[in-house]
Amino acid sequence: IGLLSGCYPSFVLSRHSPVKALKGKVTVQPEKLTLKNIMLVVQYVLALMVVISSLIVSQQIDFITTKEKGYNSDNVLVVSSVPRWYGPEGVERMMAITKQFEALPEIKRASLSYEIPDGRHGTMTGLRHPETNQLHYFGVVTADESYRDTYQLELKEGRFFTESDRGSGRILLNESAAKTLFQKQMGVGELVQANDSLTFEIIGIVNDFHFGSARQSIEGIAFIQMDSTQIFRYMSFKLDT
């Protein structure tokens, strides 16, 4: 192969007279558009497209791996096939089961919830400021007191749910929801009224996080205690690995 590749240019160059070339008598014919030239252009265009596509994919992978989501789902196992024991007794049984799982050395935290950070809110709720009386709608995250530790959510102000908050009518908001309702103030300790006339006390503000796709803007979220709705879909386990 090496011999043939070396012979080819020698045969091509031997067609030209070196004497005429030195005297400047070589005439250059305008090159015609041949299939070879077309294929050469197509080859360069395709190679350029591959390089550009590789750069775009590399940027997308870098965006996915380095973009801060605002929570940590590493080593979190989500189980959706849980018993649908809805109602006060069913919720109490399932929350007792999560405590039993947390007693296992392989599990750091276990949480029962109706939503996980996948972009799908089960419900929306309307909340109104007691003074302005303006109604705003937010996505709802129904969860127990272990939800924050399981997904490692950060608090801006206040605190997260505890067992003593069950049945107390207390909620949390994320930053976006708090700014929508209270503008510059965060609203911890304030009372808000839901569209069903129930009154809730805000006990904490959660830092904004990407509940759905990182490409989407962060929307307002209201966190509601599990026993307020008495329904659930997921059990999330923070594994000790």
Side-chain angles (χ1 to χ4, degrees):
I1 295 176
L3 181 63
L4 292 176
S5 62
C7 291
Y8 176 76
S10 64
F11 287 134
V12 174
L13 292 174
S14 64
R15 296 177 184 177
H16 303 284
S17 173
V19 177
K20 290 183 178 181
L22 292 173
K23 291 182 178 182
K25 296 182 179 181
V26 178
T27 57
V28 179
Q29 298 293 333
E31 189 174 358
K32 297 181 180 180
L33 186 64
T34 62
L35 179 62
K36 180 184 70 174
N37 295 333
I38 295 175
M39 295 301 295
L40 186 63
V41 172
V42 171
Q43 179 182 0
Y44 279 116
V45 170
L46 291 177
L48 183 61
M49 291 176 62
V50 170
V51 172
I52 295 174
S53 300
S54 300
L55 291 175
I56 294 175
V57 171
S58 176
Q59 291 177 351
Q60 293 298 315
I61 293 176
D62 183 66
F63 175 82
I64 294 173
T65 55
T66 60
K67 176 68 175 180
E68 286 291 336
K69 297 181 292 184
Y71 67 93
N72 186 1
S73 59
D74 294 344
N75 301 324
V76 174
L77 173 66
V78 178
V79 178
S80 59
S81 56
V82 296
R84 298 298 193 259
W85 296 334
Y86 297 150
E89 295 182 0
V91 170
E92 195 66 30
R93 289 175 63 185
M94 290 301 298
M95 294 182 77
I97 291 174
T98 60
K99 296 302 180 184
Q100 294 177 8
F101 276 114
E102 286 184 344
L104 299 176
E106 298 83 5
I107 298 177
K108 288 183 177 180
R109 301 294 283 177
S111 174
L112 188 68
S113 65
Y114 194 75
E115 287 88 8
I116 57 174
D118 61 357
R120 295 182 297 174
H121 288 290
T123 56
M124 302 284 288
T125 185
L127 297 176
R128 66 177 80 244
H129 192 283
E131 296 180 1
T132 62
N133 205 36
Q134 186 175 1
L135 187 65
H136 301 276
Y137 284 91
F138 306 113
V140 173
V141 172
T142 304
D144 63 7
E145 55 270 11
S146 298
Y147 192 85
R148 178 206 171 190
D149 291 337
T150 302
Y151 287 98
Q152 296 184 355
L153 301 175
E154 297 292 334
L155 287 176
K156 184 77 173 181
E157 287 187 17
R159 61 179 179 82
F160 205 74
F161 296 127
T162 62
E163 292 186 17
S164 61
D165 293 317
R166 297 180 186 178
S168 62
R170 293 169 181 159
I171 64 172
L172 290 94
L173 303 177
N174 70 340
E175 289 181 87
S176 295
K179 290 177 181 177
T180 301
L181 282 172
F182 303 100
Q183 302 302 320
K184 295 182 179 180
Q185 298 178 357
M186 285 292 101
V188 173
E190 296 281 352
L191 298 178
V192 291
Q193 191 177 44
N195 51 357
D196 55 5
S197 299
L198 293 176
T199 300
F200 295 100
E201 178 191 358
I202 301 172
I203 62 172
I205 306 298
V206 178
N207 284 351
D208 278 341
F209 65 97
H210 289 279
F211 184 81
S213 171
R215 296 179 179 274
Q216 300 173 349
S217 59
I218 297 177
E219 299 178 348
I221 297 176
F223 292 82
I224 297 178
Q225 258 283 14
M226 176 61 59
D227 61 346
S228 298
T229 58
Q230 300 175 359
I231 55 176
F232 49 86
R233 288 188 296 183
Y234 303 102
M235 187 174 287
S236 304
F237 300 98
K238 187 74 171 180
L239 304 180
D240 187 7
T241 58

